[in-house]
Amino acid sequence: IQMVNAKSCEVFGWKRDELIGHNINVIMPPGIAEHHDSYMTNYIKTGTKKMIGTQREVTAQRKDGSIFNCKLGISETKESRLICGFILDVTTEKAAEAEILAKQRLTEKIIDAAFDALFVINERGIIEMVNTASTAVFGWSQEEFIGQNISIIMPPDHAANHNGYLSRYLKTGFKKMIGKEREVEARRKDGSTFPCILGMSEVDDLGSKQFVGFIRDVTIQKSLLLAQAEREASDSLLYNILPEHIAKRLKEDPSHIADLYNNTTILFADIVGFTDRTSVMSPHDVVVMLNDI
């Protein structure tokens, strides 16, 4: 070392006279220090430049033995062939980067922990992010989703028009779905469709718009509601065709109704065309029709 500046002493912890006259490897961590002279010798013999004229991130060692990240740039003076090294301590920047990465990982974990499927799309409707629930609900992998148009999860009649909806909103600013929830149909990878609740929100990131969609599969809830409606219609049918006390007893315990009410006859008469008509009807609609009759 022929010369150092005041900043070198501040960064590395040595005094100027402690550095002058020593090999530059005193500021290098073990594993690199012992090989440095051979790198220099090889350059002087061959003229092959690996580091000279470039800048890259390396680690350096302070006087107290602590290691830190830095950016190293090296140049050579033509007349004296002295090698000049410029070292920038990036400890603070690296800590900030690590904090940002940690927050990103935490955000990703939170998103993946959500029970609802989540999609992030850009202004062209291209999927940029999905969570684990999306793959479970729809059957595509995350790799298959990324880069595809969001219309792949829509039934054909909606898929064909989706890009037009998005373009119209970007031009007019008129919101139909954004900021709201509504029930729609969605399509899985195998082509099957299912009812879901869709919520949409908009994120403006430095002038670039992104849209976040939250999708909740409500197949089970819809089935339960339908089953409840069928039970209510069936109960109504019982009370329509039987005396109230018999209907109530039948509802409570249908297993022995004939033995308990041996003086009651229930007549089931065939209705003309009943089988043909009801073969294309849901159970709920059949019970409603019988109630009407």
Side-chain angles (χ1 to χ4, degrees), residues 224-271:
L224 291 174
L225 288 173
L226 181 59
Q228 177 65 25
E230 289 177 357
R231 282 195 298 271
E232 292 174 356
S234 298
D235 291 346
S236 178
L237 179 60
L238 280 177
Y239 286 103
N240 276 340
I241 65 175
L242 293 172
E244 183 177 352
H245 68 288
I246 297 177
K248 186 176 181 180
R249 184 68 183 88
L250 178 61
K251 182 182 175 184
E252 292 173 351
D253 183 12
S255 59
H256 304 297
I257 191 66
D259 296 335
L260 293 172
Y261 298 98
N262 52 18
N263 60 340
T264 301
T265 300
I266 303 174
L267 177 65
F268 293 91
D270 190 19
I271 302 171

Side-chain angles (χ1 to χ4, degrees), residues 13-121:
W14 276 282
K15 295 178 182 179
R16 191 187 302 267
D17 56 3
E18 289 178 315
L19 289 171
I20 301 299
H22 284 81
N23 193 293
I24 191 65
N25 62 19
V26 296
I27 68 167
M28 299 175 186
I32 298 176
E34 51 265 35
H35 299 295
H36 182 263
D37 286 352
S38 64
Y39 301 152
M40 288 288 293
T41 302
N42 185 64
Y43 166 63
I44 293 169
K45 285 182 178 179
T46 66
T48 303
K49 297 179 180 180
K50 287 189 176 181
M51 278 291 295
I52 294 174
T54 65
Q55 188 180 74
R56 68 177 179 181
E57 189 171 307
V58 297
T59 55
Q61 180 174 278
R62 301 183 183 94
K63 183 179 180 180
D64 63 10
S66 60
I67 308 295
F68 66 98
N69 294 100
C70 64
K71 285 185 178 178
L72 171 64
I74 297 179
S75 62
E76 181 182 12
T77 58
K78 292 183 179 179
E79 296 80 8
S80 61
R81 297 206 71 183
L82 291 175
I83 308 295
C84 299
F86 304 90
I87 297 174
L88 175 65
D89 185 348
V90 293
T91 303
T92 303
E93 290 84 348
K94 294 295 286 186
E97 287 177 9
E99 184 178 356
I100 291 170
L101 288 173
K103 288 181 178 179
Q104 287 177 341
R105 285 193 290 268
L106 177 60
T107 300
E108 290 171 359
K109 289 179 180 178
I110 292 171
I111 290 172
D112 269 341
F115 294 111
D116 295 339
L118 177 144
F119 291 85
V120 178
I121 65 173

Side-chain angles (χ1 to χ4, degrees), residues 101-278:
L101 288 173
K103 288 181 178 179
Q104 287 177 341
R105 285 193 290 268
L106 177 60
T107 300
E108 290 171 359
K109 289 179 180 178
I110 292 171
I111 290 172
D112 269 341
F115 294 111
D116 295 339
L118 177 144
F119 291 85
V120 178
I121 65 173
N122 63 19
E123 296 174 347
R124 296 177 291 112
I126 302 302
I127 299 170
E128 296 186 341
M129 181 189 296
V130 297
N131 66 351
T132 302
S134 300
T135 64
V137 170
F138 287 92
W140 280 281
S141 67
Q142 289 187 338
E143 292 75 17
E144 290 175 317
F145 268 131
I146 303 302
Q148 297 294 320
N149 194 287
I150 192 65
S151 60
I152 64 171
I153 68 168
M154 301 174 187
D157 52 338
H158 290 297
N161 299 316
H162 181 264
N163 285 345
Y165 301 151
L166 198 55
S167 299
R168 194 175 305 114
Y169 164 67
L170 293 171
K171 287 180 181 178
T172 66
F174 180 70
K175 298 178 180 180
K176 281 190 173 182
M177 279 291 298
I178 295 173
K180 301 175 184 177
E181 278 191 350
R182 72 174 181 183
E183 186 175 316
V184 297
E185 286 284 312
R187 181 169 66 93
R188 301 183 183 93
K189 184 178 182 180
D190 63 10
S192 61
T193 59
F194 63 95
C196 65
I197 301 296
L198 170 64
M200 289 283 294
S201 61
E202 180 182 355
V203 179
D204 195 337
D205 182 21
L206 300 176
S208 176
K209 292 184 184 296
Q210 290 180 312
F211 303 92
V212 184
F214 303 89
I215 297 175
R216 185 182 312 121
D217 186 349
V218 292
T219 302
I220 295 176
Q221 292 90 325
K222 295 282 286 186
S223 299
L224 291 174
L225 288 173
L226 181 59
Q228 177 65 25
E230 289 177 357
R231 282 195 298 271
E232 292 174 356
S234 298
D235 291 346
S236 178
L237 179 60
L238 280 177
Y239 286 103
N240 276 340
I241 65 175
L242 293 172
E244 183 177 352
H245 68 288
I246 297 177
K248 186 176 181 180
R249 184 68 183 88
L250 178 61
K251 182 182 175 184
E252 292 173 351
D253 183 12
S255 59
H256 304 297
I257 191 66
D259 296 335
L260 293 172
Y261 298 98
N262 52 18
N263 60 340
T264 301
T265 300
I266 303 174
L267 177 65
F268 293 91
D270 190 19
I271 302 171
V272 175
F274 181 81
T275 301
D276 291 339
R277 183 173 180 182
T278 57

